[in-house]
Amino acid sequence: MPFIQRFDVQAGGFAEDVAFMQQHTPIVLLQEGDAAVALAPQYQGRVMTSTFDRQSGPSFGWINRPVIAQGFLSDAERQGKLEEHIYIFGGEERFWLGPEGGQYALFFKPGTKFEFADWTTPPAIDTETYEVVEQTDSSATFQHATRLTNHSGTQFDVGIQRTVKLLDEQQVSQLLDVELSPELHLVAYETDNRITNTGTDAWKPDTGLLSIWILGMYNPSPETTVVIPFKAGDEAALGPKVNDAYFGKVPAEYLQVADDKLFFRGDGTRRGKIGISPRRSQGIAGSYDAAGQVLNIVTYNVQDAPHGFVNSMWEVQDEPYGGDVINAYNDGSPEPGQPPLGPFYELETSSPAAALQSGQAMQHVQRTFHIQGSEQQLAPLAKQLLGVDLQTIKAAF
């Protein structure tokens, strides 16, 4: 059993979220100065939430308290419920595997239709516990082994390793190449995610490939706007600026697209998803919560992708390796009269498709930065990192 620290609860925020979760699932707490992240081994080593002040600071991850309190259900209890398809525990950075849809989908069993009734999250990224194999004050490493079968019937034996590490202010300044005012409040962490082909056969494009898929669930608000800069250029050369067809075209009041950046609402009031292709990606995405004066930044390790990126569209695909590398999702009602899943909003990144020989591994590193301060302090960071000033972000919608 990993070392689990308990601490006094202050009203609201991170400490209260952690105290609640500790009543229902083991929590591994990492610290770097006043900053902290809370990890859940039973939920695949996901970062449930983080803060820049573990005693009295805000909680940046969206936590689904009713589902956490309910716990895991029996197969009979799951019938007819959302948990038959997925446990939405929340958490601001979780490990998943792609592709979701298509002929090589992991979320649709062989012979099923690309409809929600047949959509099922594999247990390895939904209900199975990851083992803590190494831990320090500021990092933890998880391991797991699983066998998966895709929609085409291809079987994969997969070893999973995930290391979560808090980053200090000096590391953040170096990684982002920015100067940080000492008056800013900051929490940042890196996850090093690896999958290994532990089977005897190579993973081949014509029978399906996997990818590492990292998703972050955050608290929505009417004053939260996602910002994703991308490479400007002709669509004939670089392809579309944005893919907004995942759940139907996103209307203009929720998505604004300029020559080299886009703005997307993170208010949790309308379901929609967008994607940026690897040819357009700048390796960074972010959001700004104007009410909390928090700049959120997500980066990943840009690497060669000789086999492309898996496509998660719910259809038989002409280009199964023409998928996106960055995604953003805004939650809302999936259909009229139905409640939202959260609500929450998400920032996501993916690794290239993993055409791995037996024993070979793929690595995907994502870094998450939450920076809180005055608009005067945050303005130069937004301009340098996202290429846009805060006033433009606030006026986007």
Side-chain angles (χ1 to χ4, degrees):
M1 174 63 69
F3 170 71
I4 300 170
Q5 179 171 348
R6 296 184 182 274
F7 51 91
D8 294 335
V9 176
Q10 303 293 323
F14 178 84
E16 187 176 13
D17 274 348
V18 171
F20 166 78
M21 290 186 291
Q22 286 176 329
Q23 297 174 34
H24 305 285
T25 189
I27 293 295
V28 174
L29 186 71
L30 306 181
Q31 297 174 219
E32 177 65 52
D34 291 331
V37 298
L39 314 177
Q42 285 188 327
Y43 308 155
Q44 303 78 56
R46 77 182 67 186
V47 176
M48 295 304 295
T49 189
S50 66
T51 189
F52 53 73
D53 181 347
R54 62 189 179 91
Q55 295 295 341
S56 57
S59 186
F60 290 119
W62 177 75
I63 305 298
N64 197 351
R65 292 193 174 208
V67 175
I68 292 172
Q70 167 190 267
F72 295 106
L73 306 177
S74 68
D75 289 344
E77 291 171 329
R78 293 174 69 176
Q79 293 297 316
K81 296 182 179 179
L82 182 61
E83 286 77 14
E84 189 175 7
H85 306 277
I86 185 175
Y87 282 88
I88 301 183
F89 293 114
E92 73 164 81
E93 209 244 48
R94 73 184 185 275
F95 176 91
W96 259 19
L97 294 165
E100 181 178 355
Q103 56 267 47
Y104 304 133
L106 296 178
F107 291 66
F108 293 91
K109 297 177 181 178
T112 61
K113 298 179 181 179
F114 298 124
E115 299 174 354
F116 184 75
D118 288 336
W119 181 81
T120 305
T121 309
I125 53 174
D126 190 43
T127 58
E128 294 179 0
T129 297
Y130 287 14
E131 180 187 2
V132 180
V133 294
E134 188 175 341
Q135 186 179 348
T136 70
D137 288 345
S138 60
S139 70
T141 298
F142 302 85
Q143 286 185 353
H144 190 62
T146 190
R147 174 172 288 175
L148 302 164
T149 302
N150 71 12
H151 188 67
S152 295
T154 305
Q155 193 172 89
F156 301 86
D157 290 312
V158 188
I160 299 167
Q161 180 174 294
R162 171 172 163 84
T163 299
V164 183
K165 181 178 70 174
L166 272 163
L167 303 171
D168 62 30
E169 185 175 319
Q170 183 178 358
Q171 291 171 313
V172 171
S173 181
Q174 292 174 344
L175 288 166
L176 294 179
D177 192 22
V178 296
E179 291 187 13
L180 297 171
S181 165
E183 298 176 357
L184 290 169
H185 299 292
L186 169 72
V187 59
Y189 57 90
E190 168 186 290
T191 66
D192 182 328
N193 306 276
R194 306 184 188 205
I195 56 173
T196 301
N197 178 356
T198 57
T200 57
D201 298 327
W203 299 350
K204 300 178 179 179
D206 59 358
T207 53
L209 299 176
L210 309 182
S211 73
I212 299 168
W213 186 6
I214 305 298
L215 306 91
M217 295 171 122
Y218 307 105
N219 296 300
S221 82
E223 296 183 65
T224 295
T225 301
V226 171
V227 184
I228 305 178
F230 54 81
K231 294 175 184 175
D234 186 67
E235 292 199 6
L238 295 178
K241 295 177 179 178
V242 60
N243 172 12
D244 67 347
Y246 283 92
F247 299 116
K249 188 170 180 61
V250 181
E253 59 266 31
Y254 282 82
L255 175 64
Q256 291 289 323
V257 183
D259 289 338
D260 60 356
K261 64 183 70 70
L262 64 80
F263 305 96
F264 180 58
R265 282 190 182 272
D267 63 357
T269 65
R270 185 189 187 278
R271 189 178 190 231
K273 183 175 179 177
I274 59 173
I276 300 295
S277 73
R279 286 186 292 176
R280 291 280 188 181
S281 173
Q282 298 275 26
I284 190 169
S287 65
Y288 180 59
D289 171 12
Q293 294 187 321
V294 178
L295 184 65
N296 307 292
I297 299 292
V298 170
T299 66
Y300 67 93
N301 61 320
V302 179
Q303 56 185 311
D304 292 337
H307 300 282
F309 287 77
V310 302
N311 187 341
S312 283
M313 299 290 286
W314 289 20
E315 60 192 18
V316 176
Q317 301 155 356
D318 295 330
E319 297 184 63
Y321 302 108
D324 296 319
V325 63
I326 294 177
N327 292 100
Y329 172 79
N330 189 37
D331 193 37
S333 173
E335 54 187 61
Q338 295 295 315
L341 298 178
F344 49 84
Y345 77 97
E346 290 183 322
L347 296 174
E348 315 168 6
T349 70
S350 294
S351 77
L356 303 179
Q357 301 294 319
S358 177
Q360 193 175 11
M362 165 73 75
Q363 178 193 39
H364 182 68
V365 178
Q366 180 172 291
R367 298 184 178 102
T368 301
F369 309 83
H370 301 294
I371 309 169
Q372 194 273 338
S374 69
E375 289 196 352
Q376 183 178 7
Q377 294 163 343
L378 295 176
L381 297 178
K383 188 70 175 179
Q384 183 172 345
L385 296 171
L386 301 175
V388 62
D389 61 78
L390 292 183
Q391 297 309 313
T392 301
I393 297 174
K394 291 168 62 176
F397 298 104

